[in-house]
């Protein structure tokens, strides 16, 4: 998959849904439309890594449960647990892109109307259609009675909660963030709340909701509520509103090569944060290995705190890695991750269906090597099969957006006819 890098300033608008097509490029207008936003290619690379993490979580989920007596348990726990950064990373991207594009634009009824119309056509309609398909799949797989009234009632419940299939809760979280976004924009833009308070506000909201739910509300599916992810969301918002800070911290763009005192401080900061990230990652994976293997089960808030710290630090570490890859990494890696980022929304929607079909054909042998190869094959088939389905749909079906959201420019029918590729 080839990718064309385009210069800063030649960008399309990125909306807030990190997986939807409108999120895939840095925004098109700066303050009141007077300037054009700088494109941030590193975001697309992080999107590509995040979708690889999503597939890893789902491809290894069965193995983590079934291989308790195998020396491979540690490998599966590591892969499955480390990949849990994926959803918070997408939410970080949502916050970054939303505030990067809209923080310096006037909050008007016209802006809100256009904003929500795009969300309706680019996210909500595909979500409803895909949810209906997964709902029918679940109905047939579980041999439920064909009662139209009961089926519609159950589908409505699942649609509101994102439970038509296990992965669709994320879309509900994104919709909730869209609903809350104008209020947060009003807070920082009109009410002049300091941007520096974005990260503390995210921590307070997320942990306030967690403690309230643990002690009072007892909501069963707290992971389907956007308040559970407000820390990565508002960290992304902070960097989106303070893009020069983002460039300094992550070595993005021309400032990456600056030396002197600022370069030394950046190096020290990178070393400290890397050490902290490695320590948190080791502790988090150890907790989950002990949990999965029947060992020590830690009581209290440690799993929640570990998950929050690990996912945030991993997202930031991978963001740093993406900056390095874009500047100095092999072109084929940059191209592959950029294309995966462009296809990520469609891959997210379709890959569980491929895994479902794949798992209908388990290996006929109980030999460990065969089983482990079958698990690895699930990952490859889910990723490769999703890409094939999406490329075929984008090129052949004029209405593919109804299923998978907006078509990435370089993968659409017009791209096929013209033979020209553009960066997504």
């Amino acid at each position: 998959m080839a990718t064309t890098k385009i210069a800063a300033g030649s960008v399309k608008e990125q909306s807030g849904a990190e997986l939807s097509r409108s999120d895939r490029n840095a925004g098109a207008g700066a303050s009141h439309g007077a300037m054009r936003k700088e494109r941030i290619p590193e975001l697309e690379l992080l999107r590509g890594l995040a979708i690889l993490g999503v597939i890893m979580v789902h491809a290894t989920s069965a193995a983590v449960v079934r291989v308790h007596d195998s020396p491979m348990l540690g490998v599966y726990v590591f892969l499955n647990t480390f990949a849990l950064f994926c959803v918070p990373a997408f939410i970080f991207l949502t916050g970054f892109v939303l505030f990067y594009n809209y923080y310096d634009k006037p909050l008007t009824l016209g802006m809100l109307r256009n904003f929500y119309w795009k969300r309706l056509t680019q996210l909500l309609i595909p979500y409803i259609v895909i949810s209906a398909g997964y709902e029918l799949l679940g109905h047939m797989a579980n041999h439920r009675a064909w009662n139209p009234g009961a089926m519609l009632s159950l589908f409505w419940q699942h649609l509101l909660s994102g439970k038509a299939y296990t992965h669709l809760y994320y879309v509900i979280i994104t919709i909730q963030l869209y609903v809350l976004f104008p209020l947060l924009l009003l807070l920082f833009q009109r009410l002049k709340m300091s941007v520096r308070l974005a990260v503390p506000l995210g921590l307070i909201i997320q942990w306030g909701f967690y403690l309230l739910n643990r002690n009072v509300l007892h909501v069963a599916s707290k992971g389907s509520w956007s308040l559970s992810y407000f820390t990565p969301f508002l960290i992304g918002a902070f960097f989106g509103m303070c893009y020069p800070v983002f460039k300094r911290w992550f070595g993005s763009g021309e400032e990456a090569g600056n030396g002197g005192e600022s370069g030394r401080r950046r190096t020290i900061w990178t070393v400290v944060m890397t050490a902290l990230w490695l320590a948190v990652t080791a502790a988090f994976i150890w907790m989950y290995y002990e949990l999965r293997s029947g060992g020590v089960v830690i009581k209290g808030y440690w799993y929640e705190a570990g998950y929050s710290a690990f996912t945030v630090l991993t997202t930031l570490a991978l963001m740093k890695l993406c900056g390095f890859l874009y500047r100095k990494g092999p072109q084929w890696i940059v191209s592959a991750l950029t294309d995966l980022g462009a296809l990520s929304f469609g891959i997210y929607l379709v890959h569980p269906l491929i895994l479902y079909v794949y798992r209908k054909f388990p290996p006929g042998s109980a030999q460990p090597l065969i089983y482990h190869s079958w698990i690895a094959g699930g990952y490859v088939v889910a990723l490769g099969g999703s890409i094939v389905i999406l490329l075929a749909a984008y090129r052949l079906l004029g209405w593919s957006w109804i299923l998978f959201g907006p078509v990435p420019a370089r993968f659409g029918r017009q791209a096929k006819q013209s033979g020209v590729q553009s960066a997504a």
Side-chain angles (χ1 to χ4, degrees):
M1 290 184 248
T3 269
T4 303
K5 294 183 183 178
I6 54 180
S10 57
V11 299
K12 296 182 179 180
E13 178 190 1
Q14 272 186 340
S15 75
E18 69 281 10
L19 286 181
S20 81
R21 171 67 189 134
S22 57
D23 299 10
R24 295 206 224 324
N25 297 293
S31 182
H32 299 174
M35 300 173 60
R36 302 190 70 178
K37 290 286 189 181
E38 178 181 349
R39 179 175 177 262
I40 311 173
E42 296 92 337
L43 300 186
E44 202 71 68
L45 303 187
L46 181 59
R47 236 179 240 110
L49 290 175
I51 196 61
L52 292 177
V54 168
I55 299 176
M56 181 63 70
V57 170
H58 295 158
T60 59
S61 59
V64 167
V65 175
R66 294 176 183 172
V67 297
H68 275 254
D69 298 326
S70 169
M72 286 293 291
L73 175 62
V75 175
Y76 287 123
V77 169
F78 173 81
L79 293 174
N80 186 270
T81 305
F82 187 86
L84 292 176
F85 77 89
C86 55
V87 168
F90 279 130
I91 292 172
F92 166 87
L93 289 166
T94 297
F96 187 108
V97 172
L98 278 175
F99 283 88
Y100 181 69
N101 283 297
Y102 291 100
Y103 177 59
D104 51 9
K105 292 182 180 180
L107 182 60
T108 65
L109 290 177
M111 185 275 278
L112 290 176
R113 181 174 61 251
N114 292 333
F115 177 82
Y116 283 114
W117 174 252
K118 288 181 180 179
R119 265 76 253 166
L120 172 66
T121 56
Q122 297 176 359
L123 182 68
L124 191 57
I125 290 176
Y127 169 65
I128 293 173
V129 174
I130 285 290
S131 293
Y134 278 112
E135 186 74 19
L136 288 175
L137 176 65
H139 188 86
M140 292 184 292
N142 294 309
H143 307 288
R144 301 181 192 138
W146 289 87
N147 184 325
M151 290 172 64
L152 286 175
S153 177
L154 185 61
F155 175 58
W156 178 248
Q157 295 176 30
H158 288 168
L159 194 66
L160 293 178
S161 60
K163 292 183 178 179
Y165 211 74
T166 55
H167 67 308
L168 294 174
Y169 74 95
Y170 167 74
V171 183
I172 288 296
I173 293 172
T174 304
I175 293 171
Q176 293 170 19
L177 292 174
Y178 285 156
V179 172
L180 294 172
F181 170 65
L183 299 177
L184 293 167
L185 187 61
L186 180 69
L187 185 65
F188 289 107
Q189 189 185 79
R190 294 282 186 88
L191 301 182
K192 306 300 182 182
M193 182 176 182
S194 174
V195 173
R196 295 176 181 272
L197 297 177
V199 177
L201 179 62
L203 285 165
I204 291 170
I205 292 175
Q206 179 171 323
W207 277 92
F209 174 69
Y210 171 75
L211 294 173
L212 182 64
N213 182 64
R214 181 181 175 119
N215 298 297
V216 179
L217 300 177
H218 306 296
V219 175
S221 302
K222 75 174 183 66
S224 296
W225 289 87
S226 63
L227 300 180
S228 296
Y229 301 94
F230 248 64
T231 299
F233 179 67
L234 286 185
I235 290 176
F238 168 77
F239 285 122
M241 291 185 283
C242 301
Y243 180 57
V245 176
F246 173 85
K247 294 179 73 173
R248 288 197 302 271
W249 283 29
F250 294 97
S252 176
E254 295 179 358
E255 295 189 22
N258 290 349
E261 184 64 26
S262 63
R264 286 191 290 272
R265 287 198 303 266
R266 195 160 51 242
T267 299
I268 294 172
W269 171 257
T270 299
V271 171
V272 171
M273 291 302 295
T274 300
L276 178 61
W277 169 61
L278 290 174
V280 169
T281 299
F284 182 65
I285 292 176
W286 172 80
M287 286 194 304
Y288 267 81
Y289 177 78
E290 290 295 310
L291 179 66
R292 299 289 191 183
S293 63
V296 177
V297 177
I298 303 175
K299 297 181 179 179
Y301 305 133
W302 288 104
Y303 289 101
E304 186 71 18
Y307 174 79
S308 181
F310 164 75
T311 54
V312 166
L313 290 173
T314 300
T315 297
L316 298 179
L318 292 178
M319 191 73 259
K320 184 74 173 178
L321 173 64
C322 289
F324 174 81
L325 285 175
Y326 184 74
R327 296 190 314 274
K328 299 182 179 180
Q331 181 58 41
W332 69 270
I333 293 180
V334 174
S335 298
L337 289 177
T338 301
D339 286 346
L340 284 175
L343 295 170
S344 58
F345 186 52
I347 293 174
Y348 189 89
L349 293 178
V350 76
H351 80 272
L353 175 62
I354 298 176
L355 273 177
Y356 174 83
V357 175
Y358 180 83
R359 287 170 175 168
K360 290 293 182 180
F361 303 94
S365 171
Q367 290 293 325
L369 180 60
I370 294 177
Y371 178 79
H372 300 318
S373 299
W374 181 71
I375 293 294
Y379 184 92
V380 174
V381 170
L383 177 60
S386 297
I387 293 173
V388 170
I389 290 173
L390 290 174
L391 295 183
Y394 291 154
R395 295 294 176 89
L396 301 176
L397 305 177
W399 44 269
S400 62
W401 67 271
I402 296 176
L403 293 173
F404 308 121
V407 180
R410 66 180 175 278
F411 297 124
R413 304 173 78 183
Q414 292 182 350
K416 178 182 179 182
Q417 294 168 2
S418 65
V420 177
Q421 289 185 327
S422 62

